[in-house]
Amino acid sequence: QVQLVESGGGLVQPGGSLRLSCAASGSIIGIYAMGWYRQAPGKQRELVATITTGGITNYADSEKGRFTISRDNAKNTVYLQMNSLKPEDTAVYYCNGKRRGMDYWGKGTLVTVSS
């Protein structure tokens, strides 16, 4: 089993920044990609960004240039730096890990962008 624990969410004003963290533990050998997804109220969960163990990144079009995903393999942690936040970025952000054909999810961290 893989455990993923997110942190760093909170309330931020439009135009502000937040950095989310996701720490992986448990059976982490074999995780080949990690990423962030988000789910806004009344909407489906959607991709934000992913990163492979080799550092290859992928972003949803709406986040390109504003969000940056990175990982510290030594700490088994993935980060999401979010800049120029907009009210429409308000959502629960979930960490995802892919291992041996299975998806693992954290419990999520709430990001609220509001003045």
Side-chain angles (χ1 to χ4, degrees):
Q1 288 291 334
V2 175
Q3 291 81 44
L4 302 172
V5 179
E6 303 98 335
S7 61
L11 174 65
V12 63
Q13 292 187 342
S17 299
L18 278 178
R19 189 175 84 152
L20 306 182
S21 299
C22 172
S25 62
S27 300
I28 59 175
I29 294 175
I31 294 178
Y32 60 90
M34 294 183 68
W36 292 93
Y37 291 71
R38 68 185 182 188
Q39 188 166 16
K43 295 187 177 181
Q44 290 187 332
R45 193 173 297 188
E46 62 179 8
L47 168 73
V48 176
T50 60
I51 186 168
T52 68
T53 51
I56 298 173
T57 58
N58 179 51
Y59 294 91
D61 288 341
S62 60
E63 278 72 59
K64 287 181 180 178
R66 296 192 301 127
F67 292 4
T68 303
I69 190 170
S70 61
R71 66 188 296 166
D72 185 333
N73 290 331
K75 295 182 178 180
N76 301 315
T77 300
V78 173
Y79 305 96
L80 184 68
Q81 177 67 42
M82 304 187 292
N83 299 327
S84 302
L85 283 162
K86 306 173 183 179
E88 50 264 44
D89 294 318
T90 295
V92 177
Y93 284 71
Y94 295 92
C95 182
N96 170 268
K98 298 185 184 299
R99 177 181 179 270
R100 297 179 181 175
M102 292 189 64
D103 279 289
Y104 296 88
W105 297 94
K107 293 183 178 180
T109 185
L110 177 63
V111 172
T112 303
V113 184
S114 175
S115 56

